[in-house]
Each structure stands twice: as structure tokens, then as C-alpha cells.
Amino acid sequence: MTAAIAAPRSSSPHWPREDRPLTPEQQADNTAHRRARARVEHAFSRMKTYKVLRGCRLRGDGVHHAVLGVARLHSLALAG
């Protein structure tokens, strides 16, 4: 069973500045952001590998249906 990943509070990562390093809270946000982004990137990679996204540009809602299908299959795989 995989551990739940907390959604980051920010939609973009925090960047340190020369005069202001990242706080522990910002580092934790960056970690959550990095993990969530990795999950999304892996999902898109799988869709490209199995050619799920092929032809989706030709239909208006093709990507929407493809993403829903992959999400359902992924949920089934996680459920066991």
C-alpha cells in the first residue's frame, strides 16, 4: 500500500534567495510539490507509452476521457 501524498499548498515551488534561504515549511511544501508533480508526470508518461493520447487532439473531449480512463485503471491497480 502506498503512503498518501499531501497536496502542496502552493502551485509552484518556493525558490531560495541569496538574502533569504528557504524555511523548513517551504522545504516541506517543495517536497510535497515535487512528489505530486512526479505522480502526474509518470501518469502522462504511461499514457504516452500505451498511446492512450493518440488521436485525442482530433476530438474536443478526447484527453478528458483518456485521463478519466487511466485514473480509473490506476485506482483499480492500487486497490489490488
Side-chain angles (χ1 to χ4, degrees):
M1 180 131 146
T2 59
I5 295 177
R9 285 180 271 181
S10 173
S11 62
S12 61
H14 301 283
W15 291 92
R17 296 183 183 160
E18 288 182 18
D19 60 333
R20 188 185 61 178
L22 293 180
T23 65
E25 184 177 273
Q26 289 174 325
Q27 289 176 352
D29 282 348
N30 281 353
T31 299
H33 183 270
R34 185 173 53 245
R35 288 180 179 168
R37 182 175 178 157
R39 286 250 171 134
V40 171
E41 293 293 336
H42 284 120
F44 278 116
S45 174
R46 287 185 194 109
M47 287 191 285
K48 289 178 181 179
T49 299
Y50 295 111
K51 296 185 174 41
V52 171
L53 296 177
R54 180 183 56 220
C56 289
R57 286 181 276 165
L58 302 176
R59 297 183 303 271
D61 61 347
V63 173
H64 172 74
H65 289 295
V67 170
L68 285 177
V70 170
R72 288 184 184 122
L73 289 173
H74 184 68
S75 293
L76 286 173
L78 289 178

